[in-house]
Amino acid sequence: MKGDPMRHIKFLLLFLILALLLAALPARAETVGAQYRELKTGMKGYDVYLLRIRLYQLGYLPSDRGTEEYTAKLANTVKLVQEANRLEPTGIATPAFQALLYSEDCVPAASVPPAATSKPTSPASLQSPTAQPELPELDDEGFLERGSTEEFIYENEEDGLWYYISSTLYVEIRRFIQTKPNLKWYETTVNLRDILPTSYSSTYTKLTSDSFTLPDRIAADNHVVLAISDDSYTLRTFGGDRSGIVIRNGTVITNSPYNTFKGPNFPNMDVMAFLPDGSMALFENGETTPEYLLSLGAKDVYSFGPILLKDGRESLQVRYGYTYSSYKHPRCAIGMRSPNHYIVLTVAGRNSFTDGVRLPWLADKMRELGARNAFNLDGGRSTYLVFMGKILNMSEKNALRKITTIIGFGTSDRVEYRGE
């Protein structure tokens, strides 16, 4: 009936419900619709948290965990998304950028090709090894016959070429010297069979100033064929600083990553682990735990960084140049071409010939040499390359920093201390 009061009441209730629903739409649209505020480093809010979730959905972040703070690290991720979508990489999430991000038109991380290789220059003045010794007969895997106790050792310091080959280890070191700009570096190929990279330490029971010594002494005491820089965690521990996640021989030494990203920390505590299958696993600071690494079978885990390459792609820390990556320094980095196949880069610096290189140079050279994953290790005065008990990368040994630990590849009774 037209005069039925209940009908009017029902109509009025329906109208009110519809009005409330329409009133709620602008609030939601302000968060995930077309209306956004500009977001940049230092800002906080729930919209920042939603931005993180969306970046995770698109594959640009490893997890959807995080705070409501727009950090410098988040800004670098935004730069990568902007670059992938052919926008100026400002790191600022403008309203227009957010509208694209939440749309179906945004390019996901899986569709972004690895960064184009920018190879370090190789001028005509480049000096590289010219000698080539007659190598012994190798099996199909590139080693001496399984079970053989023979060792092939070749050292030609004048030409810049070194070899060690056994039934489980293949090492080839090549020295390169260039002018304009002046630079000296070593490219070391390391292939392993039935052995893994291993951490070795100086002989000490309690960490004191007496625990620190030069790397060739540690290598010789442990008969290590090839030794390189590691994370030098004891230098930070001794100084009372954070050491990140450090595991040695299956024992957790420290678990002190940064709680949050605080800008250009050095080192930034990215994590590298050697796994039982001969592969290298890489994690950003805060992305993993000691328990998870141990569950993977990792025996030795290092915290330093930054990650140079991961799955062939240059990391954000390197590409957008945090403060410490903009300087030239002596450097040491390790890269994995495939499980059990590694490349080590050792770059000299801080001398009259060269200052060293920036981190992007390491990443470019690693990619050029075929590395899929690559990690920056301790550099500066802690940069060293030790072969058969001798330091190759420095003529003035006193300029090296004393340390307590090394990463070693293979052992031999023929290794002896060759220092003064």
Side-chain angles (χ1 to χ4, degrees), residues 40-43 48 52 67 69-76 261:
K40 55 186 176 181
T41 304
M43 298 179 68
V48 176
R52 288 182 180 276
T67 66
E69 182 180 359
Y70 200 98
T71 61
K73 190 173 185 179
L74 181 60
N76 277 332
F261 182 81

Side-chain angles (χ1 to χ4, degrees), residues 67 124 129 209 238 313 335:
T67 66
S209 58
F238 196 67
R313 183 173 296 135

